[in-house]
Amino acid sequence: MAAKRISQSSVNWAALSERVPVAQKTNFMAFKSRSDKYLRAVLANPEQSPKIDWAAYKNKIPNAALVDSFQKAYESLKVPYPADTLSSEVDKLRSQVTQEIAAFKKESEERIAKNKAEVERIKGLLPYGQMTLEDFRDAHPDLALDPINRPTYWPHIPEIQPDYVDPNEKDEEHH
């Protein structure tokens, strides 16, 4: 099985260039330059090996049997092309990644819809400069002061309250 001849790079360099961070542009350009150089070197060679004119050699060399033995050895030479054992694994991985991408897209679309609904809810609120304390409590019940159900001490910040527990401190008393 012979390898198919490449005629051009299959890499979309423009799309790839858009995704490269600015700090890595010089490395990317060096890589692209090396890739292009390799492609030019491959394309500079003919697709097929040149044919050997065995008759011309038989006419020039006194021992024709030597040329026949070389011809026989040359024509019997078969360079083994490695068997493709990884394409099935790559296809499995591609389908797995495609499923993961589809799941991520679906989750992202759900998050986008949820966030758009939250944006619309916030747009529907009164501007904070026009809100009364009751309007603020209705819009943000978890943030508003509630002196009846959750009394607090002035200045009403969590760190000042008696039941405050610092989330950054390790709970060493219970160990």
Side-chain angles (χ1 to χ4, degrees):
M1 175 172 129
K4 80 175 187 180
R5 175 79 174 181
I6 59 170
S7 61
Q8 63 181 0
S9 175
S10 62
V11 177
N12 185 348
W13 291 106
L16 189 59
S17 176
E18 292 173 358
R19 293 185 172 103
V20 174
V22 176
Q24 295 293 323
K25 284 288 185 185
T26 55
N27 293 340
F28 172 75
M29 293 309 291
F31 172 71
K32 183 182 181 315
S33 172
R34 285 188 208 116
S35 176
D36 291 343
K37 181 180 176 184
Y38 176 75
L39 181 63
R40 282 191 301 273
V42 168
L43 294 177
N45 295 320
E47 186 172 348
Q48 297 291 329
S49 299
K51 301 294 180 193
I52 298 174
D53 186 6
W54 296 105
Y57 283 112
K58 285 180 186 179
N59 291 336
K60 293 180 182 177
I61 296 180
N63 187 356
L66 183 63
V67 175
D68 287 335
S69 68
F70 280 146
Q71 182 179 5
K72 187 176 181 182
Y74 180 79
E75 290 173 354
S76 67
L77 176 67
K78 299 292 181 207
V79 177
Y81 192 75
D84 184 10
T85 58
L86 298 176
S87 286
S88 61
E89 291 180 32
V90 170
D91 291 340
K92 287 179 192 175
L93 186 60
R94 178 180 290 128
S95 66
Q96 177 186 354
V97 169
T98 303
Q99 291 172 355
E100 290 173 3
I101 289 171
F104 179 76
K105 280 182 173 180
K106 183 179 178 187
E107 292 170 4
S108 295
E109 289 169 358
E110 290 171 359
R111 282 192 307 272
I112 289 170
K114 179 181 166 189
N115 291 339
K116 283 183 178 179
E118 179 66 12
V119 166
E120 291 302 317
R121 184 190 73 79
I122 290 172
K123 282 182 180 178
L125 294 176
L126 282 171
Y128 287 111
Q130 297 176 4
M131 279 188 183
T132 63
L133 288 175
E134 290 80 15
D135 292 332
F136 183 81
R137 184 197 64 224
D138 292 342
H140 304 286
D142 55 324
L143 300 175
L145 295 176
D146 186 359
I148 297 171
N149 298 322
R150 293 180 311 180
T152 58
Y153 295 108
W154 185 88
H156 307 289
I157 57 176
E159 293 83 10
I160 304 298
Q161 305 312 313
D163 60 347
Y164 176 75
V165 176
D166 188 359
N168 296 328
E169 287 184 10
K170 293 184 179 179
D171 190 14
E172 295 179 5
E173 295 175 6
H174 294 75
H175 290 288

